[in-house]
Amino acid sequence: MKWEKDELTAFFMILPALLYVVILAFIPALESVYGSFTNIHSSFTLYNYSFVFDLYGYRPILNTFIVTASALGFQFLIGFVVASLLSKQFRGRTAFSAIFLLPFGVATIVTAVIFHDIFSSYGGYANTLVRALGGSALDWTGYFSTSLLVVVLADSWKNAPIVSLILLAGMTTIPPDLYSQAMVDGAGTFRRFFHITLPNLAPFIAIALMVRGISEFNIFAIAQAGLFPSPLLTTMTYSLFDIVNPHPSYAGATILLGFIMIFAFFIMLYRDRSARVA
Amino acid sequence: MVSEYNNPGNSKYYFIIALIFSFVILIPFYVLVIIAFAVPSQTIAAYYPSIIPTKFTLTNLMHAFSGYSSVLEAAFIKSLITATIVGALAAFLGFHASYGLSKLPVRLSSLIISVLFFSTMIPSLTIAIPISVSFLKAGLYDTALGLALAQELVVLPMTIFMITGTLQTLPKQIELQARVDGAGFFQSLYSVIFPLALPGVLAAFLLSWMMSWDEFTFAIILSPVHPTLPILIYLDSTARGNILYASAFSLIVTVPVIIITMALSRFIKGNYMSSGLTG
């Protein structure tokens, strides 16, 4: 009897946080979706979408996918190397892990300013280095391929620590016996990585993919600060934003939401499938 | 790539690889510091700036602060107030929600966790645009409180997961003991559980504070007229093309978060980072 009363109290303690999320996240998201299909006089229209597509075409969607895939690939590469390194014992390991974490605290816009200073075509340190190595100076943000490189480097500098941390948390859950067993059976480094580490890490890879993938779709400050001049879904939505008539930007916001939901669905599928296999 | 067998002879190679990684990671910090402290003719005003400047000065920072003091001060205060509201609200809502979750049947608590996790998937822009319209009507547009209420969304789920992690490490007997000794539900919560969970709650406060201090998307949509520090940096670096000021302000924004990151490194773990990092 007493216990049930406690459960009710417990539920009332969660309620504020739950209501908070419903009122300030779910309802506004629905407002965006609803607003994208209506005009200022709240009558149904598809004009917002045709306006956005006439103005931008499919480039923002394609660019968002390219940036997301490139950044995820690079961050997972770094993440695996750093997590493997930090799962070992060596001198100064704690100090190194603190240094590796430092960029995590740096504001995204500060990251953008620093990488702008490095890759600027006038007064950039990257060009100093390129010239010292005998190459000729580049307009880094002037081309699609080089600006992609710059945005991936800047974003990964800030966010690879999170991927490393999640993968490291996963690696510590793998029993060391599995590895010694495999070594006795003659499995080399790469076979052990692909047959033990990777399958056992699947749930953690799914979490890291989810967390980082959603953030990459939302990549905004770095691109908006001029490191990636081609339109993305976020920078497109922001440039459409006008507080007097927000309806076209609602269409942009809804497309962004839609792609993130599709992405999240596939990650969930991967997680469920790998959970069944394991 | 992954050699899980700890051969002691390998440890010096690990040390060298870690040293190279640290060097690469520290390069952007180095660039930020030399632009702030070296004479501009050797950094941003040089066509090909030298990697190691020779002349240093404090006038960059002094000019940025004095020529711009009222705007900078206003932005600093707004960032400070916003971040403190976000941190305090996260600690308060997060502690109660986490404790409540630990007392509910697993079926219900995992449903609530799914709802919280789902909320982190909604892009900040998708939320910020309709909120800006509602805030304009409610008088919250361009205020520190309004911005804090929106930024709370970014940190709240993560805070709840973090404090839940701390609560799980507390021995169950302590609470039962307190209840047996006659403490009520809330008395045991505030005088027994809270002091024990304080390190986790404090860490959640600092992490939320830091994320608000750094936040960009909500800030640029909900508070563009009287900006926070990140928006001031954005306006200086892009709209006004004033890279020297932007770099000087970047240094101000970065110093406190470096200290917080170092202090929190024990708490920033992969398990807690699994949420709330969108936008």
Side-chain angles (χ1 to χ4, degrees):
Chain A
M1 200 61 197
K2 177 96 176 140
W3 198 235
E4 280 172 21
K5 188 173 151 267
D6 280 2
E7 275 184 10
L8 197 66
T9 319
F11 183 72
F12 276 109
M13 290 172 77
I14 306 169
L15 209 55
L18 208 55
L19 283 177
Y20 199 99
V21 170
V22 169
I23 294 171
L24 273 110
F26 290 107
I27 292 178
L30 290 176
E31 270 182 72
S32 266
V33 176
Y34 173 78
S36 73
F37 290 108
T38 54
N39 60 17
I40 280 198
H41 312 292
S42 15
S43 50
F44 177 81
T45 177
L46 286 175
Y47 172 77
N48 299 317
Y49 287 94
S50 64
F51 176 78
V52 169
F53 278 105
D54 284 348
L55 205 57
Y56 287 94
Y58 290 93
R59 285 306 302 183
I61 296 172
L62 194 63
N63 290 345
T64 302
F65 268 100
I66 294 171
V67 170
T68 302
S70 317
L72 280 183
F74 191 65
Q75 282 167 31
F76 268 79
L77 185 70
I78 303 284
F80 269 116
V81 174
V82 170
S84 311
L85 191 64
L86 290 180
S87 67
K88 308 286 188 291
Q89 290 300 327
F90 57 95
R91 200 154 51 92
R93 197 185 70 100
T94 322
F96 282 123
S97 62
I99 293 175
F100 293 165
L101 192 61
L102 282 183
F104 165 79
V106 176
T108 315
I109 189 67
V110 172
T111 308
V113 167
I114 299 174
F115 277 78
H116 181 271
D117 290 340
I118 295 175
F119 287 100
S120 163
S121 54
Y122 180 89
Y125 289 89
N127 276 343
T128 305
L129 202 65
V130 165
R131 274 167 53 94
L133 295 172
S136 55
L138 267 172
D139 179 12
W140 291 93
T141 50
Y143 305 97
F144 184 85
S145 55
T146 46
S147 67
L148 179 66
L149 178 75
V150 172
V151 87
V152 166
L153 285 179
D155 190 69
S156 302
W157 180 72
K158 175 168 163 55
N159 292 313
I162 298 164
V163 180
S164 317
L165 282 176
I166 296 174
L167 296 180
L168 182 62
M171 282 181 185
T172 54
T173 65
I174 304 175
D177 290 0
L178 279 180
Y179 289 110
S180 32
Q181 198 82 58
M183 284 178 84
V184 170
D185 292 347
T189 304
F190 284 95
R191 290 194 52 185
R192 291 200 302 272
F193 177 74
F194 284 107
H195 289 104
I196 299 176
T197 310
L198 224 43
N200 279 291
L201 275 183
F204 291 86
I205 294 173
I207 290 172
L209 266 180
M210 184 80 106
V211 170
R212 285 308 317 148
I214 291 171
S215 296
E216 290 312 332
F217 269 107
N218 279 307
I219 191 164
F220 178 47
I222 289 179
Q224 185 68 29
L227 293 189
F228 193 76
S230 323
L232 294 169
L233 282 173
T234 49
T235 49
M236 174 191 84
T237 304
Y238 179 67
S239 64
L240 289 167
F241 172 60
D242 168 9
I243 201 160
V244 181
N245 176 14
H247 290 270
S249 60
Y250 284 151
T254 304
I255 298 169
L256 182 63
L257 178 67
F259 276 107
I260 284 175
M261 290 299 137
I262 295 169
F263 174 79
F265 174 77
F266 280 109
I267 302 291
M268 296 278 201
L269 218 61
Y270 159 74
R271 199 189 60 175
D272 287 353
R273 211 186 54 131
S274 59
R276 259 207 309 279
V277 172
Chain B
M1 189 145 60
V2 182
S3 148
E4 318 65 30
Y5 167 66
N6 276 319
N7 180 353
N10 285 343
S11 79
K12 67 171 175 292
Y13 298 113
Y14 299 144
F15 181 80
I16 293 167
I17 297 170
L19 211 59
I20 295 170
F21 257 92
S22 307
F23 179 74
V24 174
I25 286 168
L26 291 174
I27 289 173
F29 289 111
Y30 171 74
V31 170
L32 181 63
V33 170
I34 59 173
I35 288 182
F37 289 107
V39 292
S41 62
Q42 292 191 345
T43 55
I44 56 163
Y47 215 104
Y48 301 110
S50 70
I51 306 280
I52 301 163
T54 49
K55 275 194 197 149
F56 295 93
T57 173
L58 280 174
T59 49
N60 296 341
L61 290 180
M62 272 148 69
H63 276 180
F65 296 159
S66 64
Y68 221 43
S69 56
S70 60
V71 182
L72 179 66
E73 198 184 310
F76 186 84
I77 291 172
K78 185 153 192 174
S79 281
L80 198 64
I81 293 174
T82 310
T84 308
I85 298 175
V86 169
L89 200 57
F92 180 80
L93 287 176
F95 174 67
H96 289 89
S98 308
Y99 184 74
L101 275 179
S102 72
K103 286 281 164 280
L104 283 184
V106 180
R107 286 241 314 273
L108 189 57
S109 68
S110 60
L111 178 74
I112 291 171
I113 287 172
S114 309
V115 171
L116 289 172
F117 189 69
F118 188 69
S119 80
T120 65
M121 289 183 203
I122 305 172
S124 298
L125 270 174
T126 309
I127 298 171
I129 294 173
I131 282 185
S132 71
V133 178
S134 326
F135 275 11
L136 196 61
K137 288 179 196 152
L140 284 167
Y141 186 69
D142 211 45
T143 63
L145 178 64
L147 180 58
L149 289 177
Q151 288 180 342
E152 190 65 35
L153 286 171
V154 182
V155 301
L156 188 58
M158 179 203 61
T159 307
I160 292 175
F161 297 135
M162 209 165 157
I163 299 176
T164 301
T166 309
L167 289 178
Q168 276 165 356
T169 62
L170 302 181
K172 286 260 179 291
Q173 284 87 341
I174 294 182
E175 192 186 358
L176 291 175
Q177 189 72 55
R179 295 298 290 274
V180 167
D181 289 350
F185 186 92
F186 286 103
Q187 198 184 354
S188 96
L189 175 62
Y190 293 122
S191 54
V192 180
I193 305 293
F194 182 72
L196 292 171
L198 194 60
V201 176
L202 214 57
F205 170 84
L206 282 176
L207 198 61
S208 309
W209 189 95
M210 182 171 94
M211 289 184 132
S212 163
W213 183 255
D214 289 350
E215 208 271 341
F216 183 80
T217 311
F218 280 119
I220 197 167
I221 298 233
L222 297 176
S223 180
V225 188
H226 297 94
T228 56
L229 283 172
I231 307 306
L232 188 65
I233 292 170
Y234 164 70
L235 293 174
D236 266 300
S237 68
T238 54
R240 302 188 194 116
N242 201 336
I243 295 167
L244 205 58
Y245 284 11
S247 301
F249 299 157
S250 293
L251 202 63
I252 308 178
V253 172
T254 305
V255 170
V257 293
I258 294 290
I259 296 168
I260 293 178
T261 311
M262 301 254 246
L264 283 185
S265 55
R266 195 161 59 88
F267 283 95
I268 302 174
K269 289 191 197 131
N271 332 24
Y272 305 148
M273 291 300 105
S274 314
S275 73
L277 289 167
T278 55

